[in-house]
Amino acid sequence: MTSNQSDANHSHDHAGHNHGDGHHSHAPQVGENNERVVLAGFALTAGFMVAELIGGILSGSLALVADAGHMLTDAAALALAWAGFRFGRKLSDSKRTFGYMRFEVLAGFVNAITLFALVVWITYEAIQRLFMPHPVLAGPMMVVAVLGLVVNIAVFFMLRQGDTNHVNIRGALLHVLGDLLGSVAAIVAAAVIYFTGWTPIDPILSVLLSVLILRAAWALLRNAVQILMEGTPGNIEIDALRAHVLETVQDIEDVSHVHVWSITSGKPAATLEVSLKPGADYRTISERVKKTLAQRYDIGHATVEINWANHPKDCPLAEPAHHD
């Protein structure tokens, strides 16, 4: 029997996928609540960003201008996240069989890159300010910084109402958290300048804020790149998965060609090949393997192939690429 015949024999049950109207969709569902909270956060962030930028220019505060710049990237990040959720709800088609969910990961990648660019800009401006101090109006700076803190807290808790395990919601939260810390830094700087007149505190606190943003940006970038590179999800270990299937599912002699990746954040998929013991119930083996993967690893989409020849073969994906 050929592998094509085996595909016809085993059931093609994909938990959480839409088979309605005869259309087989591999695209996971995107929560509309995520879309709503991101859009509301974008409106609030973009609105105050303009006010903070004006306040920073008028008061001469680098911390406020930097925070406004961060809020600009926040607004862009939230807009990208909203677009990701909007496109992510589009059905799959013949050219994009997993739908548009990966667009959200691309948005998360862009978010991380903008954070790195922001850190470079803040650091450069801070060095310039240390060598050429600028006068700062502490009173207006304090008022704008306090208002910014209130807005950032409101947006932060608004986004917490969404799926905080999602790469884009987490990315937006990191952006807003950086802004929140920026507002705190601006408040501290305003207080120091008001009571002591020591203006270098403004660029110094901006640099410290950049270090915090850099750490968050690296974590976000690493997660996005892992998904884009089809890396194995962090909670799954291939050898352990293979051993678990062998131990849990009867009639299986060997498990090979195991590949596990994420379609998008929190949506793992897998392909694997199984060799059967003599007399095995091949008609239900695929369904039993999929059930085990779903229960143990939350893998909702798995493709199981039966190795009827019952001997191992080298996986083409494991071979080095050859270029002419």
Side-chain angles (χ1 to χ4, degrees):
M1 183 179 294
T2 66
S3 61
N4 290 335
Q5 290 173 318
S6 71
D7 290 338
N9 285 335
H10 74 264
S11 62
H12 199 61
D13 177 25
H14 301 287
H17 297 298
N18 177 25
H19 294 264
D21 300 327
H23 177 72
H24 180 76
S25 173
H26 293 260
Q29 298 297 317
V30 179
E32 293 186 6
N33 183 55
N34 286 343
E35 186 178 332
R36 286 194 297 268
V37 298
V38 166
L39 183 60
F42 165 75
L44 194 57
T45 300
F48 187 78
M49 179 267 297
V50 176
E52 187 170 36
L53 178 61
I54 296 174
I57 294 174
L58 294 178
S59 66
S61 170
L62 174 62
L64 285 184
V65 174
D67 198 39
H70 195 190
M71 292 196 80
L72 175 62
T73 64
D74 284 353
L78 291 168
L80 282 171
W82 177 82
F85 290 129
R86 172 66 66 173
F87 282 108
R89 290 194 291 111
K90 295 179 66 175
L91 293 177
S92 61
D93 53 40
S94 60
K95 293 186 177 181
R96 299 174 181 84
T97 57
F98 283 101
Y100 294 77
M101 292 296 292
R102 188 58 64 86
F103 185 89
E104 302 174 16
V105 183
L106 292 174
F109 179 81
V110 173
N111 291 352
I113 296 300
T114 57
L115 281 171
F116 278 106
L118 176 68
V119 168
V120 173
W121 179 77
I122 291 177
T123 303
Y124 173 79
E125 288 294 325
I127 293 173
Q128 294 292 101
R129 289 291 183 96
L130 287 174
F131 285 102
M132 294 182 294
H134 290 243
V136 178
L137 302 177
M141 178 182 176
M142 176 67 76
V143 172
V144 176
V146 171
L147 289 176
L149 180 62
V150 173
V151 170
N152 286 319
I153 290 175
V155 174
F156 182 82
F157 281 102
M158 191 180 299
L159 293 176
R160 290 278 296 177
Q161 303 306 309
D163 179 11
T164 55
N165 289 323
H166 195 283
V167 64
N168 265 5
I169 294 293
R170 188 164 62 249
L173 282 169
L174 289 174
H175 274 275
V176 175
L177 182 60
D179 260 339
L180 193 151
L181 295 174
S183 296
V184 172
I187 292 173
V188 173
V192 171
I193 294 171
Y194 181 81
F195 289 108
T196 69
W198 191 55
T199 56
I201 186 64
D202 185 53
I204 289 174
L205 287 180
S206 297
V207 172
L208 293 177
L209 171 62
S210 297
V211 174
L212 297 177
I213 297 175
L214 186 63
R215 180 179 179 182
W218 173 250
L220 178 61
L221 180 66
R222 182 176 56 188
N223 185 53
V225 169
Q226 176 74 358
I227 294 176
L228 292 174
M229 293 295 292
E230 307 283 3
T232 304
N235 65 323
I236 297 177
E237 207 279 319
I238 296 297
D239 289 337
L241 182 148
R242 182 184 293 110
H244 179 74
V245 172
L246 284 170
E247 179 183 353
T248 306
V249 183
Q250 296 181 354
D251 299 333
I252 293 182
E253 185 175 86
D254 187 35
V255 178
S256 58
H257 296 196
V258 181
H259 301 282
V260 185
W261 70 99
S262 295
I263 302 171
T264 187
S265 181
K267 298 293 181 181
T271 62
L272 66 156
E273 183 177 292
V274 296
S275 300
L276 305 183
K277 297 178 180 179
D281 183 4
Y282 64 87
R283 291 170 297 183
T284 63
I285 196 68
S286 178
E287 180 182 353
R288 284 184 281 152
V289 172
K290 291 177 182 180
K291 183 177 180 180
T292 295
L293 294 177
Q295 291 177 342
R296 177 64 177 83
Y297 297 101
D298 197 27
I299 298 177
H301 178 82
T303 301
V304 182
E305 181 180 358
I306 299 177
N307 179 10
W308 296 101
N310 206 29
H311 61 77
K313 297 179 180 179
D314 293 333
C315 179
L317 295 179
E319 298 176 356
H322 296 283
H323 303 282
D324 294 333

